Amino acid sequence: MTPMPLKIAVIAGEVSGDLLGGDLIAALKARHGGPIELIGVGGEALEAEGLKSMFDFSELSIMGITQVLSKLPRLIGLISKTAKAIVEAKPDVLLIIDSPDFTHRVAKKVRQQLPDLPVVNYVCPSVWAWKEYRATAMLAYVDAVLAVLPFEPEVMRRLGGPETHFIGHRLSSHPDIVRVRNARKVKAPKAKGEQHTILLLPGSRGSEITTMLPIFGDAMQEFVRRNGPTRFLLPTVPRQEARVREIVAGWSLRPEILIGDAAKWQAFADADAAIATSGTVILELALAYVPVMSTYKTDWIIKLISHRIKTWTGALPNLIADYAVVPEYLNEVVRPASMVRWAERMSGDTPQRVSMLSGYDDVWDRLSTETPAGEAGAEILIQLLQQKGKL
C-alpha cells in the first residue's frame, strides 16, 4: 500500500538549524517512503529537500537585544506572515528548529488557530542557561522536544517542560567530520620552526563577522611577528563572502578565503589550530579534533543583564563534557594577544593541546548515539503523527 502523503511545515532561522532540518527531513523521506511536501522557512539544506522558503532566512540571523529591537517591526511582520501561511496550508505537523525568539512565536500563533496540529521543537531552548520559565510555557504549544545535548531531557523533566528526547547531534555521524577526525587522530603537532596553518572562523552572521574579523586580523599580524610566515585559512558561507572580502581588502596580510563545503573540510584537515567565534562551529571543531580557542563579544544590553545568565560556559564542548575543554574569551578580554598565545600552544606538542584533545574524546563519547540524529528524530516524528492519527 502506498504511504499517505505528508505536508510538513518547517521553520529554521539559522544555518545550523537549516542543516539539522535538512538532515532530519532526508531521513524522514527514507523512513516514510511516501510523498512529502514542505512549506515554511529555511536555507540551502532544506531547499535541497524541496522547501521553497517564504523569505530569505538570513533575515532571522540576528544576535543581541539591540539587533532584535532595531528589526522588531520587520520581525513582527514575518512572524504573522509565516504563521498565517502555515495555518492556511493546514500541514500534518509543524517542525520548529532552534531560533526560539522567532520559531516559538510562530508556533504559538499557529497553535491558537490549529489546536490539534502536532508541534515538534528540534533543539531544546537553553532553559538551563536562563529564563527557566520557558520550559513550562512550552507545554501550551509544543508536543515533543528533540534535544541535541545529553543533559537536556533531565533538565526539562526537572523544570516541567514537554517530553524531551536526546537524539544526538547530526555532526557526530557527519561523514566529513568522521573522515577529518580519523586523519587528525594520527596527525603530529607542529615542530618548532615549522610553518603554521591557522584556521579563522569569525562567525556566520554578518554582525559577528563585522565585530570579530578585525580582531582576528590583528591577531594574524601578531602571530606572524612572533612565528614567521603563516598560512591563514578563512572558510565562509557564500552569502557572507562579499562582506568578508570587503573587510580584509585593505589588509597588508590577508587570509585565504574559502567558499564551499569541500574547501571548508579541507581547511579543517590542514589546520594546526583554530580561532573561532562561539557557536556550533566550536562543536564541529571539537568533533573533528581541531584545537580551538572560542571567542565572543555580546552587545551592551546583554552585558547589563549578564547576571541573569546561569550557565557557566557558552562553548558546547564544555557543556557536553561538563568541564572546561575549550578556552573561551568574552567581551573585554577578547584580545589578539590571547588568541596568538593560545594558537601557539594549540599548534605544538604542549600539555594544553594534549589536554584539549583528551577532552574531545570525552565529548565524542558523550554525544555518540547508536542511531544517527536525523533518523532518530524522524522516527519520533512518525510516532507522533501516528499517535495523532495523521498516519
mmCIF file with all atom_site columns, all heavy atoms in Angstrom, residues 349-366:
data_model
loop_
_atom_site.group_PDB
_atom_site.id
_atom_site.type_symbol
_atom_site.label_atom_id
_atom_site.label_alt_id
_atom_site.label_comp_id
_atom_site.label_asym_id
_atom_site.label_entity_id
_atom_site.label_seq_id
_atom_site.pdbx_PDB_ins_code
_atom_site.Cartn_x
_atom_site.Cartn_y
_atom_site.Cartn_z
_atom_site.occupancy
_atom_site.B_iso_or_equiv
_atom_site.pdbx_formal_charge
_atom_site.auth_seq_id
_atom_site.auth_comp_id
_atom_site.auth_asym_id
_atom_site.auth_atom_id
_atom_site.pdbx_PDB_model_num
ATOM 1   N N   . ASP A 1 349 ? 53.434 20.581 20.423 1.00 0.00 ? 349 ASP A N   1
ATOM 2   C CA  . ASP A 1 349 ? 53.308 19.426 21.326 1.00 0.00 ? 349 ASP A CA  1
ATOM 3   C C   . ASP A 1 349 ? 53.362 19.943 22.767 1.00 0.00 ? 349 ASP A C   1
ATOM 4   O O   . ASP A 1 349 ? 54.410 19.938 23.413 1.00 0.00 ? 349 ASP A O   1
ATOM 5   C CB  . ASP A 1 349 ? 54.443 18.439 21.052 1.00 0.00 ? 349 ASP A CB  1
ATOM 6   C CG  . ASP A 1 349 ? 54.264 17.147 21.843 1.00 0.00 ? 349 ASP A CG  1
ATOM 7   O OD1 . ASP A 1 349 ? 53.189 16.957 22.447 1.00 0.00 ? 349 ASP A OD1 1
ATOM 8   O OD2 . ASP A 1 349 ? 55.201 16.330 21.839 1.00 0.00 ? 349 ASP A OD2 1
ATOM 9   N N   . THR A 1 350 ? 52.222 20.398 23.257 1.00 0.00 ? 350 THR A N   1
ATOM 10  C CA  . THR A 1 350 ? 52.144 21.051 24.562 1.00 0.00 ? 350 THR A CA  1
ATOM 11  C C   . THR A 1 350 ? 51.114 20.354 25.454 1.00 0.00 ? 350 THR A C   1
ATOM 12  O O   . THR A 1 350 ? 50.212 19.656 24.954 1.00 0.00 ? 350 THR A O   1
ATOM 13  C CB  . THR A 1 350 ? 51.723 22.527 24.415 1.00 0.00 ? 350 THR A CB  1
ATOM 14  O OG1 . THR A 1 350 ? 50.382 22.564 23.871 1.00 0.00 ? 350 THR A OG1 1
ATOM 15  C CG2 . THR A 1 350 ? 52.661 23.281 23.487 1.00 0.00 ? 350 THR A CG2 1
ATOM 16  N N   . PRO A 1 351 ? 51.205 20.544 26.773 1.00 0.00 ? 351 PRO A N   1
ATOM 17  C CA  . PRO A 1 351 ? 50.181 19.984 27.662 1.00 0.00 ? 351 PRO A CA  1
ATOM 18  C C   . PRO A 1 351 ? 48.784 20.507 27.350 1.00 0.00 ? 351 PRO A C   1
ATOM 19  O O   . PRO A 1 351 ? 47.801 19.780 27.492 1.00 0.00 ? 351 PRO A O   1
ATOM 20  C CB  . PRO A 1 351 ? 50.647 20.438 29.053 1.00 0.00 ? 351 PRO A CB  1
ATOM 21  C CG  . PRO A 1 351 ? 52.101 20.697 28.921 1.00 0.00 ? 351 PRO A CG  1
ATOM 22  C CD  . PRO A 1 351 ? 52.309 21.188 27.521 1.00 0.00 ? 351 PRO A CD  1
ATOM 23  N N   . GLN A 1 352 ? 48.700 21.766 26.915 1.00 0.00 ? 352 GLN A N   1
ATOM 24  C CA  . GLN A 1 352 ? 47.384 22.333 26.597 1.00 0.00 ? 352 GLN A CA  1
ATOM 25  C C   . GLN A 1 352 ? 46.730 21.596 25.423 1.00 0.00 ? 352 GLN A C   1
ATOM 26  O O   . GLN A 1 352 ? 45.532 21.303 25.450 1.00 0.00 ? 352 GLN A O   1
ATOM 27  C CB  . GLN A 1 352 ? 47.522 23.832 26.265 1.00 0.00 ? 352 GLN A CB  1
ATOM 28  C CG  . GLN A 1 352 ? 47.866 24.705 27.446 1.00 0.00 ? 352 GLN A CG  1
ATOM 29  C CD  . GLN A 1 352 ? 49.359 24.751 27.742 1.00 0.00 ? 352 GLN A CD  1
ATOM 30  O OE1 . GLN A 1 352 ? 50.158 24.080 27.066 1.00 0.00 ? 352 GLN A OE1 1
ATOM 31  N NE2 . GLN A 1 352 ? 49.753 25.521 28.746 1.00 0.00 ? 352 GLN A NE2 1
ATOM 32  N N   . ARG A 1 353 ? 47.515 21.298 24.406 1.00 0.00 ? 353 ARG A N   1
ATOM 33  C CA  . ARG A 1 353 ? 46.977 20.577 23.246 1.00 0.00 ? 353 ARG A CA  1
ATOM 34  C C   . ARG A 1 353 ? 46.575 19.158 23.623 1.00 0.00 ? 353 ARG A C   1
ATOM 35  O O   . ARG A 1 353 ? 45.481 18.688 23.252 1.00 0.00 ? 353 ARG A O   1
ATOM 36  C CB  . ARG A 1 353 ? 48.019 20.552 22.125 1.00 0.00 ? 353 ARG A CB  1
ATOM 37  C CG  . ARG A 1 353 ? 47.549 19.861 20.844 1.00 0.00 ? 353 ARG A CG  1
ATOM 38  C CD  . ARG A 1 353 ? 48.640 19.906 19.779 1.00 0.00 ? 353 ARG A CD  1
ATOM 39  N NE  . ARG A 1 353 ? 48.171 19.355 18.518 1.00 0.00 ? 353 ARG A NE  1
ATOM 40  C CZ  . ARG A 1 353 ? 48.203 18.068 18.198 1.00 0.00 ? 353 ARG A CZ  1
ATOM 41  N NH1 . ARG A 1 353 ? 48.685 17.186 19.074 1.00 0.00 ? 353 ARG A NH1 1
ATOM 42  N NH2 . ARG A 1 353 ? 47.750 17.659 17.036 1.00 0.00 ? 353 ARG A NH2 1
ATOM 43  N N   . VAL A 1 354 ? 47.424 18.473 24.375 1.00 0.00 ? 354 VAL A N   1
ATOM 44  C CA  . VAL A 1 354 ? 47.128 17.102 24.795 1.00 0.00 ? 354 VAL A CA  1
ATOM 45  C C   . VAL A 1 354 ? 45.845 17.063 25.628 1.00 0.00 ? 354 VAL A C   1
ATOM 46  O O   . VAL A 1 354 ? 44.979 16.198 25.431 1.00 0.00 ? 354 VAL A O   1
ATOM 47  C CB  . VAL A 1 354 ? 48.315 16.521 25.590 1.00 0.00 ? 354 VAL A CB  1
ATOM 48  C CG1 . VAL A 1 354 ? 47.927 15.183 26.225 1.00 0.00 ? 354 VAL A CG1 1
ATOM 49  C CG2 . VAL A 1 354 ? 49.524 16.348 24.681 1.00 0.00 ? 354 VAL A CG2 1
ATOM 50  N N   . SER A 1 355 ? 45.706 18.008 26.559 1.00 0.00 ? 355 SER A N   1
ATOM 51  C CA  . SER A 1 355 ? 44.522 18.047 27.416 1.00 0.00 ? 355 SER A CA  1
ATOM 52  C C   . SER A 1 355 ? 43.257 18.308 26.603 1.00 0.00 ? 355 SER A C   1
ATOM 53  O O   . SER A 1 355 ? 42.220 17.680 26.834 1.00 0.00 ? 355 SER A O   1
ATOM 54  C CB  . SER A 1 355 ? 44.696 19.134 28.481 1.00 0.00 ? 355 SER A CB  1
ATOM 55  O OG  . SER A 1 355 ? 43.525 19.270 29.260 1.00 0.00 ? 355 SER A OG  1
ATOM 56  N N   . MET A 1 356 ? 43.348 19.226 25.641 1.00 0.00 ? 356 MET A N   1
ATOM 57  C CA  . MET A 1 356 ? 42.171 19.551 24.832 1.00 0.00 ? 356 MET A CA  1
ATOM 58  C C   . MET A 1 356 ? 41.729 18.347 24.002 1.00 0.00 ? 356 MET A C   1
ATOM 59  O O   . MET A 1 356 ? 40.524 18.026 23.935 1.00 0.00 ? 356 MET A O   1
ATOM 60  C CB  . MET A 1 356 ? 42.476 20.745 23.920 1.00 0.00 ? 356 MET A CB  1
ATOM 61  C CG  . MET A 1 356 ? 41.237 21.372 23.301 1.00 0.00 ? 356 MET A CG  1
ATOM 62  S SD  . MET A 1 356 ? 41.613 22.835 22.275 1.00 0.00 ? 356 MET A SD  1
ATOM 63  C CE  . MET A 1 356 ? 42.404 23.898 23.472 1.00 0.00 ? 356 MET A CE  1
ATOM 64  N N   . LEU A 1 357 ? 42.667 17.666 23.381 1.00 0.00 ? 357 LEU A N   1
ATOM 65  C CA  . LEU A 1 357 ? 42.308 16.512 22.551 1.00 0.00 ? 357 LEU A CA  1
ATOM 66  C C   . LEU A 1 357 ? 41.741 15.378 23.401 1.00 0.00 ? 357 LEU A C   1
ATOM 67  O O   . LEU A 1 357 ? 40.835 14.657 22.962 1.00 0.00 ? 357 LEU A O   1
ATOM 68  C CB  . LEU A 1 357 ? 43.521 16.037 21.762 1.00 0.00 ? 357 LEU A CB  1
ATOM 69  C CG  . LEU A 1 357 ? 44.082 17.038 20.730 1.00 0.00 ? 357 LEU A CG  1
ATOM 70  C CD1 . LEU A 1 357 ? 45.256 16.431 19.980 1.00 0.00 ? 357 LEU A CD1 1
ATOM 71  C CD2 . LEU A 1 357 ? 43.003 17.491 19.761 1.00 0.00 ? 357 LEU A CD2 1
ATOM 72  N N   . SER A 1 358 ? 42.239 15.220 24.614 1.00 0.00 ? 358 SER A N   1
ATOM 73  C CA  . SER A 1 358 ? 41.651 14.238 25.524 1.00 0.00 ? 358 SER A CA  1
ATOM 74  C C   . SER A 1 358 ? 40.208 14.605 25.850 1.00 0.00 ? 358 SER A C   1
ATOM 75  O O   . SER A 1 358 ? 39.319 13.744 25.896 1.00 0.00 ? 358 SER A O   1
ATOM 76  C CB  . SER A 1 358 ? 42.481 14.162 26.808 1.00 0.00 ? 358 SER A CB  1
ATOM 77  O OG  . SER A 1 358 ? 41.866 13.316 27.756 1.00 0.00 ? 358 SER A OG  1
ATOM 78  N N   . GLY A 1 359 ? 39.957 15.897 26.061 1.00 0.00 ? 359 GLY A N   1
ATOM 79  C CA  . GLY A 1 359 ? 38.590 16.359 26.295 1.00 0.00 ? 359 GLY A CA  1
ATOM 80  C C   . GLY A 1 359 ? 37.688 16.114 25.099 1.00 0.00 ? 359 GLY A C   1
ATOM 81  O O   . GLY A 1 359 ? 36.508 15.770 25.246 1.00 0.00 ? 359 GLY A O   1
ATOM 82  N N   . TYR A 1 360 ? 38.246 16.259 23.897 1.00 0.00 ? 360 TYR A N   1
ATOM 83  C CA  . TYR A 1 360 ? 37.470 15.992 22.682 1.00 0.00 ? 360 TYR A CA  1
ATOM 84  C C   . TYR A 1 360 ? 36.996 14.542 22.640 1.00 0.00 ? 360 TYR A C   1
ATOM 85  O O   . TYR A 1 360 ? 35.893 14.245 22.162 1.00 0.00 ? 360 TYR A O   1
ATOM 86  C CB  . TYR A 1 360 ? 38.305 16.285 21.438 1.00 0.00 ? 360 TYR A CB  1
ATOM 87  C CG  . TYR A 1 360 ? 38.515 17.750 21.131 1.00 0.00 ? 360 TYR A CG  1
ATOM 88  C CD1 . TYR A 1 360 ? 39.317 18.146 20.065 1.00 0.00 ? 360 TYR A CD1 1
ATOM 89  C CD2 . TYR A 1 360 ? 37.922 18.759 21.894 1.00 0.00 ? 360 TYR A CD2 1
ATOM 90  C CE1 . TYR A 1 360 ? 39.518 19.473 19.744 1.00 0.00 ? 360 TYR A CE1 1
ATOM 91  C CE2 . TYR A 1 360 ? 38.116 20.091 21.586 1.00 0.00 ? 360 TYR A CE2 1
ATOM 92  C CZ  . TYR A 1 360 ? 38.915 20.453 20.514 1.00 0.00 ? 360 TYR A CZ  1
ATOM 93  O OH  . TYR A 1 360 ? 39.109 21.773 20.208 1.00 0.00 ? 360 TYR A OH  1
ATOM 94  N N   . ASP A 1 361 ? 37.823 13.630 23.138 1.00 0.00 ? 361 ASP A N   1
ATOM 95  C CA  . ASP A 1 361 ? 37.414 12.226 23.183 1.00 0.00 ? 361 ASP A CA  1
ATOM 96  C C   . ASP A 1 361 ? 36.201 12.050 24.107 1.00 0.00 ? 361 ASP A C   1
ATOM 97  O O   . ASP A 1 361 ? 35.279 11.279 23.792 1.00 0.00 ? 361 ASP A O   1
ATOM 98  C CB  . ASP A 1 361 ? 38.570 11.349 23.671 1.00 0.00 ? 361 ASP A CB  1
ATOM 99  C CG  . ASP A 1 361 ? 39.673 11.202 22.632 1.00 0.00 ? 361 ASP A CG  1
ATOM 100 O OD1 . ASP A 1 361 ? 39.363 11.302 21.431 1.00 0.00 ? 361 ASP A OD1 1
ATOM 101 O OD2 . ASP A 1 361 ? 40.833 10.993 23.029 1.00 0.00 ? 361 ASP A OD2 1
ATOM 102 N N   . ASP A 1 362 ? 36.198 12.756 25.228 1.00 0.00 ? 362 ASP A N   1
ATOM 103 C CA  . ASP A 1 362 ? 35.042 12.688 26.136 1.00 0.00 ? 362 ASP A CA  1
ATOM 104 C C   . ASP A 1 362 ? 33.791 13.253 25.473 1.00 0.00 ? 362 ASP A C   1
ATOM 105 O O   . ASP A 1 362 ? 32.696 12.697 25.602 1.00 0.00 ? 362 ASP A O   1
ATOM 106 C CB  . ASP A 1 362 ? 35.331 13.472 27.424 1.00 0.00 ? 362 ASP A CB  1
ATOM 107 C CG  . ASP A 1 362 ? 36.257 12.720 28.366 1.00 0.00 ? 362 ASP A CG  1
ATOM 108 O OD1 . ASP A 1 362 ? 36.446 11.506 28.169 1.00 0.00 ? 362 ASP A OD1 1
ATOM 109 O OD2 . ASP A 1 362 ? 36.785 13.357 29.302 1.00 0.00 ? 362 ASP A OD2 1
ATOM 110 N N   . VAL A 1 363 ? 33.946 14.367 24.761 1.00 0.00 ? 363 VAL A N   1
ATOM 111 C CA  . VAL A 1 363 ? 32.806 14.973 24.056 1.00 0.00 ? 363 VAL A CA  1
ATOM 112 C C   . VAL A 1 363 ? 32.251 13.997 23.030 1.00 0.00 ? 363 VAL A C   1
ATOM 113 O O   . VAL A 1 363 ? 31.026 13.809 22.921 1.00 0.00 ? 363 VAL A O   1
ATOM 114 C CB  . VAL A 1 363 ? 33.234 16.295 23.373 1.00 0.00 ? 363 VAL A CB  1
ATOM 115 C CG1 . VAL A 1 363 ? 32.116 16.827 22.482 1.00 0.00 ? 363 VAL A CG1 1
ATOM 116 C CG2 . VAL A 1 363 ? 33.604 17.341 24.426 1.00 0.00 ? 363 VAL A CG2 1
ATOM 117 N N   . TRP A 1 364 ? 33.128 13.378 22.282 1.00 0.00 ? 364 TRP A N   1
ATOM 118 C CA  . TRP A 1 364 ? 32.710 12.401 21.259 1.00 0.00 ? 364 TRP A CA  1
ATOM 119 C C   . TRP A 1 364 ? 31.921 11.263 21.892 1.00 0.00 ? 364 TRP A C   1
ATOM 120 O O   . TRP A 1 364 ? 30.851 10.879 21.410 1.00 0.00 ? 364 TRP A O   1
ATOM 121 C CB  . TRP A 1 364 ? 33.933 11.868 20.529 1.00 0.00 ? 364 TRP A CB  1
ATOM 122 C CG  . TRP A 1 364 ? 33.615 10.891 19.439 1.00 0.00 ? 364 TRP A CG  1
ATOM 123 C CD1 . TRP A 1 364 ? 33.489 9.533  19.558 1.00 0.00 ? 364 TRP A CD1 1
ATOM 124 C CD2 . TRP A 1 364 ? 33.365 11.193 18.064 1.00 0.00 ? 364 TRP A CD2 1
ATOM 125 N NE1 . TRP A 1 364 ? 33.175 8.977  18.350 1.00 0.00 ? 364 TRP A NE1 1
ATOM 126 C CE2 . TRP A 1 364 ? 33.100 9.955  17.419 1.00 0.00 ? 364 TRP A CE2 1
ATOM 127 C CE3 . TRP A 1 364 ? 33.352 12.367 17.318 1.00 0.00 ? 364 TRP A CE3 1
ATOM 128 C CZ2 . TRP A 1 364 ? 32.821 9.888  16.053 1.00 0.00 ? 364 TRP A CZ2 1
ATOM 129 C CZ3 . TRP A 1 364 ? 33.081 12.285 15.963 1.00 0.00 ? 364 TRP A CZ3 1
ATOM 130 C CH2 . TRP A 1 364 ? 32.814 11.069 15.343 1.00 0.00 ? 364 TRP A CH2 1
ATOM 131 N N   . ASP A 1 365 ? 32.438 10.726 22.982 1.00 0.00 ? 365 ASP A N   1
ATOM 132 C CA  . ASP A 1 365 ? 31.782 9.596  23.655 1.00 0.00 ? 365 ASP A CA  1
ATOM 133 C C   . ASP A 1 365 ? 30.407 9.991  24.192 1.00 0.00 ? 365 ASP A C   1
ATOM 134 O O   . ASP A 1 365 ? 29.437 9.229  24.067 1.00 0.00 ? 365 ASP A O   1
ATOM 135 C CB  . ASP A 1 365 ? 32.657 9.076  24.801 1.00 0.00 ? 365 ASP A CB  1
ATOM 136 C CG  . ASP A 1 365 ? 33.921 8.386  24.306 1.00 0.00 ? 365 ASP A CG  1
ATOM 137 O OD1 . ASP A 1 365 ? 33.966 8.019  23.112 1.00 0.00 ? 365 ASP A OD1 1
ATOM 138 O OD2 . ASP A 1 365 ? 34.871 8.238  25.100 1.00 0.00 ? 365 ASP A OD2 1
ATOM 139 N N   . ARG A 1 366 ? 30.299 11.162 24.780 1.00 0.00 ? 366 ARG A N   1
ATOM 140 C CA  . ARG A 1 366 ? 29.026 11.578 25.386 1.00 0.00 ? 366 ARG A CA  1
ATOM 141 C C   . ARG A 1 366 ? 27.979 11.954 24.356 1.00 0.00 ? 366 ARG A C   1
ATOM 142 O O   . ARG A 1 366 ? 26.781 11.871 24.617 1.00 0.00 ? 366 ARG A O   1
ATOM 143 C CB  . ARG A 1 366 ? 29.268 12.752 26.342 1.00 0.00 ? 366 ARG A CB  1
ATOM 144 C CG  . ARG A 1 366 ? 30.153 12.383 27.527 1.00 0.00 ? 366 ARG A CG  1
ATOM 145 C CD  . ARG A 1 366 ? 30.213 13.474 28.566 1.00 0.00 ? 366 ARG A CD  1
ATOM 146 N NE  . ARG A 1 366 ? 31.168 13.132 29.620 1.00 0.00 ? 366 ARG A NE  1
ATOM 147 C CZ  . ARG A 1 366 ? 31.217 13.712 30.795 1.00 0.00 ? 366 ARG A CZ  1
ATOM 148 N NH1 . ARG A 1 366 ? 30.353 14.676 31.090 1.00 0.00 ? 366 ARG A NH1 1
ATOM 149 N NH2 . ARG A 1 366 ? 32.107 13.348 31.701 1.00 0.00 ? 366 ARG A NH2 1
#
